[in-house]
Amino acid sequence: MKPTKNYENFPIWIPLLANLVSMSIYALGAAILVGFSVWAAAAYLLYCLWVEATVLKRSCVNCYYYGKVCGLGKGKLCFLLRRRGDPQKFADRDVTWLSMLPDFLVFLVPAVSGIILLVKSFDWLLLALVAALFILSFTGNALIRGAFACKYCKQREIGCPAEKLFGGKQTSGNRA
């Protein structure tokens, strides 16, 4: 099997594509939640911002790509906003399905809300928004991470808790 090369700095198109997918998910979620109220959509967008800030604080500060162009585009941003952490903490961190809940809620809240709105009053545009949310959240994220970001990530080889969780390399502490 041919070894996969790692990027020291990812080609800029990869984090641009990754962020386009993320921003599109956030925009679709907000567009769906407007069906309840503008305030629900605004609260959702603030929540998305909080999730992103939490990733910077808990993960990116300790990542190999801190100050570099990473596959998800957060390494340089983190360098501008936060002080460098301890790279060993990144590899040592345990990520469980429960700790991933805030990330999953970015998808779940608008998806469930969209289904509720569709049941109350069917609308083709809303159905298209919910379908696009499902496609981008699952297929888009899987493609970005699997084919472009994680595949070439040096941190994955050093030690990545998400790789342990999603790659099936869980420690006994991660099994439910």
Side-chain angles (χ1 to χ4, degrees), residues 5-172:
K5 84 171 196 171
N6 297 70
Y7 291 122
E8 190 65 29
N9 280 290
F10 278 76
I12 196 69
W13 68 268
I14 294 175
L16 287 176
L17 185 60
N19 281 292
L20 178 65
V21 168
S22 292
M23 296 302 152
S24 297
I25 290 168
Y26 303 157
L28 287 166
I32 292 166
L33 288 168
V34 163
F36 284 105
S37 74
V38 172
W39 296 110
Y44 170 78
L45 290 173
L46 285 172
Y47 177 76
C48 292
L49 184 63
W50 175 80
V51 167
E52 291 290 342
T54 301
V55 169
L56 291 176
K57 179 181 176 183
R58 291 191 180 149
S59 298
C60 298
V61 295
N62 301 319
C63 182
Y64 174 83
Y65 287 98
Y66 175 88
K68 300 176 183 181
V69 179
C70 75
L72 301 178
K74 293 176 175 62
K76 290 258 188 201
L77 177 63
C78 188
F79 174 77
L80 296 172
L81 299 175
R82 307 207 48 97
R83 225 186 301 187
R84 179 79 164 131
D86 178 3
Q88 189 58 42
K89 284 184 179 178
F90 191 99
D92 290 344
R93 218 173 106 218
D94 263 345
V95 173
T96 64
W97 290 107
L98 184 59
S99 65
M100 294 292 299
L101 185 59
D103 299 292
F104 293 140
L105 289 175
V106 168
F107 159 75
L108 283 174
V109 167
V112 170
S113 298
I115 292 168
I116 290 168
L117 289 169
L118 282 168
V119 169
K120 285 174 65 176
S121 176
F122 183 82
D123 178 85
W124 285 104
L125 177 59
L126 180 59
L127 178 63
L129 292 173
V130 172
L133 178 69
F134 270 87
I135 291 167
L136 280 178
S137 294
F138 290 104
T139 308
N141 275 325
L143 181 66
I144 295 296
R145 283 165 173 76
F148 303 122
C150 298
K151 182 177 182 177
Y152 301 103
C153 180
K154 187 153 181 87
Q155 183 65 57
R156 178 182 55 84
E157 289 188 356
I158 295 169
C160 177
E163 168 74 10
K164 292 177 203 166
L165 181 65
F166 291 108
K169 299 174 186 172
Q170 296 175 342
T171 60
S172 61

